[in-house]
Amino acid sequence: MTWGTAWRIARRDLNARFRGLRLLLVCLFLGTGALAAIGTLTAAIEQELEANGRQFLGGDLQVELWQRGLADEERAALSQFGTVSSGTRMQAMARAGEQAVPIELKAVDQAYPLYGKLVLADGRAVGPPPADEAWLSQGAADRLGTGIGDTITIGTAPIKVGGIIKDEPDRLGEGFQLGPTIIVAEDLPMRAGLIAPGSMYQSKTRVRFAGSQAPEDVAEDLKKRFPTAGFEIDTADRAAPGTDRFVDRMGEFLTLVGLAALVIAGIGIGGGVSSYLDGRRQGIATLKILGATSRDIGKIYALQVFAAALVGSIAGILVGIAIVPLLAGALRGLLPVSTGFIFAPGPLLLALAYGLLVALVFAAPPLMRARRFPAMALMRARVSPLAGDKAALAIVGGGLAAIVALALLTAEQPMLSGGFLAGAAVLLGLLALLGLAIRKLAASFPRARNPILRNALANLHRPGSSTGALVTALGFGLSAFVLLAAVQSAIDGNIAKRVPEKAPDYFVLDIPREQVTEFERLVQQADSKANWRTVPALRGSVLAFGPEDRMTRTADLEELPEGAWALRGERGLTYADGVPPGNTITKGKWWGPFYAGEPQVSIDEDFAEAAGLEIGDMLTFGVLGVEKQARITSFRRIDWESMGFNYVFVLSPNAMQDVPHNLAATIELSKGTPTGPLLQSLVRSFPSASVIEVGGVLGQARTILDQVGLATLAAASVAVFAGLAVLLGAIAAARAARTYDTVVMRVLGADRRQILAMQLIEYGILAAALAIVALAVGSFAAWLVVTRLFEFDWLPDWSQVIAVLGLGLAVVLVFALGASLPLLRAKPAQALRAL
């Protein structure tokens, strides 16, 4: 039989509404839809970053430094590559009358912007503002209650509002901010008294290349020429490293969820195809009697399955494309993505390939089984189940290999994807073994006197039992419920439980050391019961680390050790006589008060492990262009949740006291104390300081985490629906045998209530046995997602997790019983004639 003839027969037999194959359509629709939406959104963000990287960064290359600008030699080195634009970023306070708000002050020179356009609300495309004016973001204008022409004060300098910003081209590259933006002329921070020795500010120098230089090559050249300068260099291809990392991690997680949905759905596909072919047994037998070969049967029904798989996959892809604008709208302001329709061929083809490969892998066994048996075996398939076909193993193995290869070749983190696939395979194996164990255990039980219980237990182990498929379906479905609840409650815990209850009311930056007594007097005057803490605040980068005789230069590393993030760029430094609050010494000794020996440093124990450091090793810091070396004498465990000042590196006072620096402080007011009076007095007395209200910072963090939680909820819901689809598929695959059993039992006198009770006992036993497995598997998977992928704290609400698991058990039982209702409608006489 030719493929054309096989297709004609297949098309005539194929129901226009795909009756019998709808489960296959639903399973592939869910999986490919999730993958298409995730892949399209991720590709759109990456394309936006790539296409507009120069604009987002503000140049082809950017050099950042803390507490100083470029030296003449350094600036000359940058100038040889093209046009240079420099500026300053710092936290400051802006005042309008009695209103004072923390702002992100952005001072720019005459060359700004090198790429893109700075557009004001009145439509003007402008550069830097005049010396006596400022461009305000809408948020700054709203909080200050000012408009164009009004006067505000920044530091000690009065300045006029010259315009409201509509489009700031390099906003994304500026990163997370602790207040709304105000753009001023380059010299204003100095004129306003905001910059002095020890002030905490960041200089940003950008270059627009005159030629076709490769940014990475230029960055490497600068690091080699100025190894101790402490440069933090960004290039246009990574204009927003934090956004890139977030997109990569979320993309990996969501892609793995999509793959999980497809794997779960694949089991449903196998059950659905088995059920479909069982329903077609008379047609297959008739074709065999008329001369059709096993190969012909395989062609006909493979074409039917392929047609259904293609329709389901394409439908899922179309819906995936349609929901991307909704996802983009939900992530607006967090990620750079257009809210219009986006067509990305690569991710869509990948989703289609995954869908068809999964359909091949899980549909092959029942197809191969159906094609090899003679007509009589097919005619009595209801009471004589078909045996497996070893030839299907080659197809399944090839399909699985293709899926693994596709996942590893297209993954940003192949190890993560490989680990997920290995974990999925292990879980499938464990569930298969568990299904076998349940069958063996049920068979070993003594025969119960109650006929309903006896038949329910018999259903678990009798020949042709669907226990294996049901265990897999319930295991994956309930694990998905636990995963969803644990991840969501852990994210909620990060938002609501730890941060607000421990956060201070204010962070204050750039307090002059000689004015600390005045600062403390103002705080006590506002609230005699207030708690505050002041710490020296410096910035520096780790230039070298390791044993004294063979230290590793950070600049020479091609890639930082995993977890050693404190080696990247400049980090906060401080010094102290005593162990900081919230810190615990886990190894080594503290130097104690009035120490005057060799400079020492205490470091975070997790960083020490990641960087391979031991007690006695050395660290070389670059601070304001000067090298400072200290010996590691202790490791600390840090309570990062305290929302206070937590430093990876704490040095002995004699290591850094000669470096110009100011103080930073946290203030916690007693309950019920108004915050406004203290804010106003601090702004008046310390015009160069920045007072940051923690509530606003937490609000931004809460918004971001809420968006992450929403994405997680949507993605995990796909896996839950896929698990329910698998359950329906397992029930559908066993429906023929169950119909036979039900009819015989009804002939013997069983009523509908007794039959439903048997079904409930059977599914209840399976669900109860799998609840513990699902709790362990789902919790472990959620822990990996929360702590390893998102790098959040593991703070699940176990009562919520247990409640959701209970809800999942109830939903599973309702679906199982609902899918069993058609068995009760079977007419005994009609069903017996069909055997």
Side-chain angles (χ1 to χ4, degrees):
M1 184 183 295
T2 64
W3 282 103
T5 303
W7 171 241
R8 283 198 300 273
I9 297 174
R11 183 164 48 83
R12 291 171 182 170
D13 186 48
L14 193 62
N15 187 278
R17 291 177 292 177
F18 291 97
R19 187 182 301 276
L21 289 174
R22 291 174 185 170
L23 182 63
L24 182 148
L25 266 74
V26 170
C27 289
L28 288 178
F29 172 81
L30 288 171
T32 56
L35 285 175
I38 293 161
T40 300
L41 181 65
T42 304
I45 295 171
E46 291 174 347
Q47 288 171 10
E48 189 77 11
L49 289 171
E50 182 178 352
N52 298 306
R54 291 181 176 87
Q55 178 177 314
F56 293 150
L57 184 67
D60 293 285
L61 179 139
Q62 175 179 270
V63 176
E64 300 177 42
L65 285 168
W66 281 92
Q67 296 182 284
R68 74 178 183 93
L70 290 181
D72 291 341
E73 182 185 3
E74 295 165 344
R75 187 176 181 89
L78 284 178
S79 298
Q80 67 181 343
F81 297 110
T83 305
V84 175
S85 173
S86 59
T88 303
R89 310 293 185 270
M90 64 187 308
Q91 294 301 129
M93 298 298 295
R95 287 173 290 143
E98 293 300 314
Q99 186 70 23
V101 300
I103 61 165
E104 180 87 8
L105 189 65
K106 180 174 178 176
V108 298
D109 66 4
Q110 291 300 312
Y112 176 87
L114 294 177
Y115 287 100
K117 292 182 179 181
L118 176 61
V119 181
L120 301 182
D122 58 12
R124 285 182 292 159
V126 297
D132 61 344
E133 293 187 8
W135 311 138
L136 273 63
S137 66
Q138 188 63 57
D142 291 343
R143 295 190 65 185
L144 288 167
T146 58
I148 296 176
D150 293 339
T151 298
I152 63 174
T153 302
I154 299 176
T156 59
I159 194 166
K160 187 170 69 173
V161 178
I164 307 299
I165 301 169
K166 178 182 179 183
D167 184 15
E168 183 184 353
D170 54 343
R171 174 61 263 159
L172 183 68
E174 299 290 3
F176 185 79
Q177 60 182 23
L178 298 177
T181 301
I182 293 182
I183 300 178
V184 296
E186 184 180 20
D187 65 341
L188 183 123
M190 190 69 72
R191 288 192 287 115
L194 299 176
I195 291 182
S199 297
M200 192 62 66
Y201 67 94
Q202 186 180 33
S203 68
K204 290 191 177 185
T205 307
R206 296 161 175 176
V207 186
R208 177 170 182 156
F209 291 160
S212 57
Q213 299 95 331
E216 291 295 336
D217 293 342
V218 174
E220 289 299 318
D221 179 62
L222 290 172
K223 289 178 181 178
K224 289 178 181 178
R225 291 177 63 180
F226 305 101
T228 64
F231 286 168
E232 187 169 342
I233 301 177
D234 294 320
T235 56
D237 56 346
R238 289 193 59 83
T243 299
D244 280 342
R245 287 193 292 272
F246 178 79
V247 171
D248 288 346
R249 288 175 180 176
M250 279 300 295
E252 284 290 328
F253 166 67
L254 296 177
T255 299
L256 293 181
V257 169
L259 282 176
L262 268 180
V263 170
I264 296 171
I267 304 164
I269 290 170
V273 172
S274 294
S275 177
Y276 177 73
L277 293 176
D278 181 75
R280 291 290 188 274
R281 70 194 188 286
Q282 292 183 347
I284 295 173
T286 301
L287 288 170
K288 287 234 173 180
I289 292 171
L290 295 176
T293 65
S294 295
R295 183 182 296 273
D296 297 334
I297 299 297
K299 286 181 180 180
I300 292 168
Y301 289 96
L303 285 171
Q304 289 188 355
V305 170
F306 176 77
L310 191 61
V311 169
S313 298
I314 292 175
I317 287 171
L318 293 176
V319 171
I321 294 173
I323 66 174
V324 166
L326 300 178
L327 296 175
L331 297 173
R332 180 180 295 173
L334 177 64
L335 296 173
V337 60
S338 169
T339 55
F341 284 99
I342 300 162
F343 182 77
L348 300 182
L349 290 175
L350 184 63
L352 180 62
Y354 275 129
L356 295 181
L357 283 172
V358 167
L360 170 68
V361 167
F362 288 94
L367 282 171
M368 296 294 287
R369 196 165 57 237
R371 77 183 185 93
R372 289 181 59 88
F373 277 74
M376 290 305 295
L378 288 167
M379 287 294 190
R380 63 173 183 265
R382 286 190 186 271
V383 293
S384 180
L386 300 177
D389 188 339
K390 294 182 179 179
L393 293 177
I395 298 175
V396 172
L400 289 174
I403 291 173
V404 171
L406 202 58
L408 296 181
L409 290 174
T410 57
E412 292 286 341
Q413 301 180 48
M415 293 297 294
L416 180 64
S417 296
F420 165 78
L421 292 173
V426 169
L427 180 58
L428 281 172
L430 288 175
L431 290 174
L433 290 175
L434 182 61
L436 181 62
I438 290 174
R439 293 186 64 174
K440 295 288 187 183
L441 187 63
S444 66
F445 280 158
R447 288 174 59 85
R449 293 184 178 181
N450 187 305
I452 295 177
L453 178 60
R454 184 169 63 248
N455 279 282
L457 289 173
N459 280 341
L460 294 174
H461 65 82
R462 62 177 175 75
S465 167
S466 59
T467 298
L470 288 171
V471 164
T472 305
L474 290 172
F476 269 109
L478 293 175
S479 297
F481 272 103
V482 173
L483 172 68
L484 173 62
V487 171
Q488 191 67 34
S489 67
I491 291 175
D492 289 342
N494 278 274
I495 296 172
K497 292 185 177 179
R498 297 296 180 92
V499 173
E501 70 184 23
K502 294 187 177 182
D505 294 286
Y506 289 116
F507 283 106
V508 187
L509 307 178
D510 276 334
I511 304 170
R513 283 189 287 174
E514 62 275 11
Q515 292 183 266
V516 65
T517 303
E518 173 68 8
F519 168 79
E520 293 175 345
R521 185 188 66 80
L522 289 175
V523 175
Q524 277 193 318
Q525 185 177 335
D527 181 7
S528 60
K529 297 181 180 180
N531 293 317
W532 68 89
R533 177 187 170 204
T534 58
V535 298
L538 304 94
R539 299 287 297 191
S541 58
V542 178
L543 302 179
F545 62 96
E548 187 173 8
D549 57 345
R550 56 179 190 280
M551 295 182 70
T552 301
R553 302 290 298 184
T554 306
D556 296 336
L557 295 174
E558 293 185 4
E559 186 175 350
L560 296 181
E562 185 176 355
W565 52 268
L567 295 176
R568 184 186 300 111
E570 293 198 341
R571 298 292 160 187
L573 304 175
T574 193
Y575 59 83
D577 280 324
V579 180
N583 288 222
T584 304
I585 299 295
T586 58
K587 189 175 183 181
K589 294 183 178 180
W590 195 261
W591 43 82
F594 310 112
Y595 176 76
E598 178 187 31
Q600 298 184 6
V601 61
S602 175
I603 65 175
D604 172 48
E605 62 177 358
D606 293 332
F607 169 74
E609 181 179 356
L613 294 170
E614 298 291 343
I615 299 295
D617 288 348
M618 304 294 291
L619 287 174
T620 300
F621 298 96
V623 183
L624 296 178
V626 177
E627 289 192 13
K628 295 280 187 177
Q629 195 169 67
R631 188 177 301 278
I632 300 171
T633 55
S634 66
F635 296 161
R636 289 169 295 120
R637 181 180 299 116
I638 302 173
D639 180 11
W640 294 105
E641 299 164 357
S642 64
M643 280 296 289
F645 290 114
N646 292 310
Y647 290 88
V648 174
F649 308 109
V650 179
L651 294 102
S652 58
N654 63 331
M656 292 289 176
Q657 276 184 327
D658 61 336
V659 178
H661 64 277
N662 288 329
L663 303 178
T666 58
I667 303 173
E668 185 177 349
L669 301 175
S670 59
K671 188 175 182 180
T673 301
T675 58
L678 176 59
L679 173 63
Q680 298 301 328
S681 62
L682 288 173
V683 171
R684 284 193 298 268
S685 300
F686 298 96
S688 63
S690 300
V691 186
I692 302 168
E693 296 174 278
V694 176
V697 178
L698 297 182
Q700 292 185 59
R702 188 176 292 109
T703 298
I704 293 172
L705 291 174
D706 279 339
Q707 290 172 321
V708 173
L710 178 63
T712 305
L713 176 65
S717 297
V718 174
V720 169
F721 286 128
L724 293 176
V726 172
L727 175 64
L728 296 178
I731 295 172
R735 185 168 295 164
R738 290 300 177 96
T739 300
Y740 174 77
D741 293 344
T742 302
V743 165
V744 170
M745 295 178 69
R746 290 187 63 185
V747 169
L748 295 176
D751 59 26
R752 294 186 177 187
R753 182 183 59 80
Q754 291 173 319
I755 293 173
L756 277 179
M758 281 185 282
Q759 298 283 335
L760 183 62
I761 292 173
E762 178 185 353
Y763 291 125
I765 291 173
L766 290 177
L770 287 167
I772 298 175
V773 175
L775 184 62
V777 171
S779 298
F780 179 68
W783 177 80
L784 289 176
V785 169
V786 171
T787 63
R788 292 296 182 263
L789 198 59
F790 292 159
E791 296 184 357
F792 292 162
D793 294 324
W794 178 235
L795 301 172
D797 183 343
W798 289 109
S799 62
Q800 182 178 334
V801 173
I802 298 298
V804 170
L805 178 59
L807 175 64
L809 290 171
V811 170
V812 163
L813 291 177
V814 168
F815 268 77
L817 292 177
S820 301
L821 290 178
L823 300 178
L824 303 178
R825 293 196 294 267
K827 298 184 182 301
Q830 181 179 353
L832 291 172
R833 283 197 300 269
L835 292 175

